[in-house]
Amino acid sequence: MQPLQCPHCGEAIPTHTHVGVIMVPHVGPLENGAALVTPQWYHSECIARLAVGSLAHVQGRCSCFVEGGPRGDPLGMTKREAARAALAAYRARAAWDDLENTPRN
Ligand SMILES: [Zn+2]
Ligand SMILES: [Zn+2]
């Protein structure tokens, strides 16, 4: 059997534990009215990266916000390192937003 690989970063998925990995059902094309659903395993940081965007996107300096801003992950990082960095930045910002939005009296 082929070792499991994360579809986002291509690195190995640990098979001895489910900690830090998430199963996403992959729905294949319809054949005779039915789709083949197969489990796909992602690192949790990689599936989070797909939702929150790149590090530059989380920081609001990507090409979505700034003309000519970077697109995609930072150079010099693996896709998984970039996913961890994006998630860390997202968590830091979310914690800050919570603090800012908490009424103080
Ligand atoms: Zn991954
Ligand atoms: Zn963006």
Side-chain angles (χ1 to χ4, degrees), residues 5-13 20 41-47 79-81 83:
Q5 269 187 341
C6 173
H8 177 70
C9 72
E11 292 183 31
I13 294 285
W41 291 90
Y42 285 76
H43 299 116
S44 51
E45 62 268 36
C46 290
I47 202 79
K79 285 187 83 99
R80 193 165 173 205
E81 287 167 350

Side-chain angles (χ1 to χ4, degrees), residues 47-99:
I47 202 79
R49 155 70 180 86
L50 294 175
V52 305
S54 68
L55 178 62
H57 184 80
V58 173
Q59 294 172 335
R61 53 182 182 79
C62 67
S63 57
C64 305
F65 300 97
V66 184
E67 179 105 20
R71 292 164 184 266
D73 290 322
L75 298 173
M77 282 189 193
T78 67
K79 285 187 83 99
R80 193 165 173 205
E81 287 167 350
R84 287 196 181 114
L87 184 56
Y90 183 82
R91 282 187 170 139
R93 203 192 64 186
W96 181 252
D97 287 350
D98 278 355
L99 214 61

